[in-house]
Amino acid sequence: MREEVRGSERVPLWGMAALIGSDGSMVGEVANISRTGIALSVGCNRNSSTKLRRTWLCRVVSSEFPNTLEFLAKVVRKNVSSQGYGLGCTITAINDKDLAMLEAFRTRRLSSAH
């Protein structure tokens, strides 16, 4: 069993995310999100020359958000499977508008779960 490393509770999120870097990008499905991190599933079509463990611009599109959520994220964990990669990312920088949007979503989701 994996140790929980995030400082805030994970919330399931259905949506797509793009990790955009200077030498390429990846698109994947969001598994969950917290105030401090995001987990993604990325397919195998990733450019093999791209270095994963660095900081990316992350754009999340979901019907749960009124606008695209955007922040900087650093990949801190990678799991390889036959379907691709499971990536765990830490949110390293987020502006106040996007943080408020993320917090409103988390509050709605957590209050409906209890």
Side-chain angles (χ1 to χ4, degrees):
M1 182 151 88
R2 284 215 168 118
E3 177 183 344
E4 175 61 55
V5 294
R6 287 196 209 158
S8 60
E9 187 172 354
R10 297 171 189 224
V11 179
L13 175 65
W14 294 270
M16 300 297 290
L19 295 177
I20 303 159
S22 60
D23 64 346
S25 63
M26 296 179 283
V27 176
E29 294 180 12
V30 179
N32 60 58
I33 195 165
S34 72
R35 189 177 210 282
T36 58
I38 187 167
L40 308 170
S41 295
V42 179
C44 291
N45 58 353
R46 185 184 71 78
N47 180 343
S48 61
S49 66
T50 302
K51 293 186 174 117
L52 279 176
R53 294 187 185 267
R54 61 186 179 94
T55 301
W56 300 81
L57 172 62
C58 183
R59 290 189 176 136
V60 178
V61 177
S62 171
S63 62
E64 301 279 355
F65 297 126
N67 300 303
T68 300
L69 180 66
E70 188 173 283
F71 49 85
L72 294 179
K74 182 174 182 168
V75 175
V76 294
R77 181 176 291 176
K78 174 180 88 168
N79 298 317
V80 181
S81 74
S82 60
Q83 288 82 33
Y85 299 92
L87 302 178
C89 305
T90 298
I91 297 173
T92 59
I94 186 169
N95 68 35
D96 291 339
K97 178 181 124 300
D98 288 312
L99 180 58
M101 190 167 44
L102 176 58
E103 283 300 312
F105 162 73
R106 289 184 67 248
T107 300
R108 281 191 318 270
R109 184 56 64 92
L110 291 171
S111 67
S112 68
H114 292 72

